[in-house]
Structures are given as structure tokens and as C-alpha cells.
Amino acid sequence: MQIAGKTVIVTGAARGIGRGIAGAFARQGANVVLADLGALANRTAGDWNYALAAETELARAADDIRERGGNCAALEVDVSDRSSCQALVDKAIAIFGRVDIIVNNAGIIQTGSLAEFAESDWDRIFAVNVKGIFLLSQSALPRLKANGGLIINIASVAGKRGFPQMGAYCASKFAAIGLTQSLAAELAEFSIRVNAICPGNVDTAMWFDHLSKSEWQRRLHGTDTVEDTFNAVIDATIPLGREQTPKDIAEAALYLARAENVTGVSLVVAGGFVMN
């Protein structure tokens, strides 16, 4: 697929992996819709375990692309809500005239023993990490069918291997990979390719605002600070010896956009953490 001139919707684009992917597509000449909670975070996030992306972060991400000469729009979305997903697609079409690529990157995490895990947290994780993929993909399908489009789902190494204290998150990412494969098989007749990317350990809010602060992580690695915990995880799990970056994941997304005979894969970008 030629990327220049295509319209790409990236969810969870205000920061981290989503912001990196949005910027990479913009530099290749795509029209990019950066979609995130924005002001909706104040109304929908509730008392979550770390701060979700705010309106100012979404605006800064869009400004960064424009300052570098890219073409973009910043739009609010709650991927767990059907009407919000449909409105996002409709607005993208109104602005750019087409939708070609969906990057389902929005995701959240909560950890804890499954014996004590809150049902409401389980439901929230699946509403964003799995249902969000379903709702936005379904909303965009009429346009993707017309254009022979592409869907990229951001899963995780936690969708390849189960980890203690991460049952809900792992289950949601396993589900994301299964959904990717089913969509790839179902949509091939329309020349729509569907793939997933499985990042390893990336310096994001999930890690620094939650996982690295978790008591079980600190006990596991014998660390005291957030930075020491993150670095200990890298040293213990990554054969190539460094964390993954938004740039690493963005390069994988660009590859999948261009690889016209690749569909149904779950591409691991984790420095050797998971080798399958």
C-alpha cells in the first residue's frame, strides 16, 4: 500500500505508542486522525489507577505533527462507545474525504490477583482493549471495503504469554489477537488486511504510572524506585538489552501497511522477550 495520501485513524494517539505511530504515518504523507479521550477523560475515566490522556496531550501531539509539516486532525473518541466510534469515522471522512487505515491502539491496564480482581475493572479493560477494536473496525468497514483498507491492532506480548497479576490484561490481549485472526480471514475477500503488533516493554504511562509502581513488581525485582523497577524488568527479560520505543512500534506499523501479502499475523516487537 502506498501510504501518501491515505487517511489513517490512530486511537490512543495523544501519547506513547499511538503518538509515535501517528507521527510516523504523517511523515510518510498520510492524513492522520489522532483520536483519544481528550476532554472525555474528565467524564469517562473515573477513578482509574493512572491518569488517562488529557485534552492538552492530544492537542500537543497534533501540534507536533503540524509543526513538522504533517497533515492531521485531533478528535475525541471513547472506543468503548459505539456512537462515539461512528462519530469519529464520520468526522474523519468529513475532514479528509476517506478512511483507509485503522490503528486500534487505545488500551488500559489494571493488575491484581484474579481471586480479588474487581468485576468492574475486568469489564472496563475488555470494553476498551477488545470491544474497542470491534466497534471502531465495524464502524469503518464500509469505507475500508470501498478502499481495500487496512486494520492494525496493537496487542502485546501479554497476548502471547500469561503473566501473574495480569490476568485481565493478558486475557484481553489474547482476545485481541484472536479477533485479529478472525477479521483477517473474514475480510480477505474485500482485500482488507488485518494484523496485530505485540510490543514488549515500552516506556509508557502503563509502565511508569502503574506497573513499575506495583508492589508485586518491586518485590519480584527487589527495587525501590519506578526507574529501577523498569530497568530491572528490561535486564531480566529482553535479550537485546534495551526497552522498546514508540519508534520501534511505529516502524512495525509502517511495515504492515506496506506488506501487501501479509495478513493475520501478530508481529512481536520485543527485543527477543517472546520468540514465537
Side-chain angles (χ1 to χ4, degrees):
M1 174 185 286
Q2 294 296 321
I3 295 173
K6 297 295 193 293
T7 297
V8 185
I9 296 176
V10 183
T11 64
R15 62 191 185 191
I17 290 172
R19 183 171 179 173
I21 291 172
F25 275 99
R27 288 190 293 274
Q28 297 301 314
N31 305 311
V32 178
V33 176
L34 296 95
D36 215 310
L37 281 170
L40 295 176
N42 300 326
R43 300 194 297 272
T44 64
D47 186 21
W48 198 239
N49 54 66
Y50 58 93
L52 303 181
E55 187 175 8
T56 53
E57 292 175 292
L58 181 58
R60 282 198 301 268
D63 287 344
D64 181 60
I65 287 177
R66 295 188 186 105
E67 289 169 2
R68 297 169 185 267
N71 197 20
C72 72
L75 300 175
E76 294 177 353
V77 68
D78 176 357
V79 298
S80 67
D81 180 80
R82 176 180 295 280
S83 62
S84 185
C85 288
Q86 188 61 61
L88 172 64
V89 173
D90 292 344
K91 289 175 184 177
I93 293 169
I95 295 169
F96 294 119
R98 59 188 296 145
V99 171
D100 303 278
I101 301 171
I102 301 293
V103 181
N104 289 302
N105 169 70
I108 58 174
I109 192 171
Q110 175 63 287
T111 55
S113 167
L114 282 178
E116 302 170 348
F117 204 82
E119 182 180 355
S120 58
D121 288 345
W122 179 282
D123 289 344
R124 182 75 185 277
I125 287 170
F126 269 78
V128 176
N129 296 4
V130 186
K131 184 181 177 182
I133 294 174
F134 160 64
L135 290 178
L136 184 55
S137 299
Q138 189 179 65
S139 297
L141 270 181
R143 291 292 177 161
L144 297 181
K145 288 179 179 179
N147 301 333
L150 171 71
I151 299 172
I152 299 174
N153 300 321
I154 305 304
S156 171
V157 292
K160 294 284 190 175
R161 179 190 301 173
F163 296 94
Q165 303 290 317
M166 295 178 63
Y169 184 74
C170 288
S172 75
K173 293 303 184 177
F174 270 84
I177 291 173
L179 181 55
T180 296
Q181 294 175 358
S182 292
L183 284 172
E186 184 173 326
L187 299 177
E189 65 175 295
F190 304 105
S191 298
I192 297 173
R193 294 182 295 111
V194 188
N195 294 293
I197 300 172
C198 298
N201 297 313
V202 186
D203 177 359
T204 62
M206 280 189 184
W207 259 107
F208 271 74
D209 293 345
H210 179 62
L211 284 172
S212 291
K213 293 180 178 179
S214 299
E215 182 63 29
W216 65 274
Q217 280 280 6
R218 295 189 181 190
R219 289 200 309 269
L220 179 65
H221 298 286
T223 54
D224 294 318
T225 69
V226 169
E227 291 78 10
D228 286 346
T229 302
F230 185 73
N231 291 334
V233 171
I234 301 303
D235 291 342
T237 62
I238 309 297
L240 288 182
R242 71 164 176 86
E243 68 195 71
Q244 286 67 67
T245 67
K247 181 181 178 182
D248 293 328
I249 313 308
E251 288 175 350
L254 291 176
Y255 161 72
L256 291 174
R258 294 177 172 129
E260 296 185 352
N261 199 34
V262 176
T263 194
V265 307
S266 301
L267 178 60
V268 177
V269 183
F273 182 10
V274 172
M275 297 187 181
N276 66 353

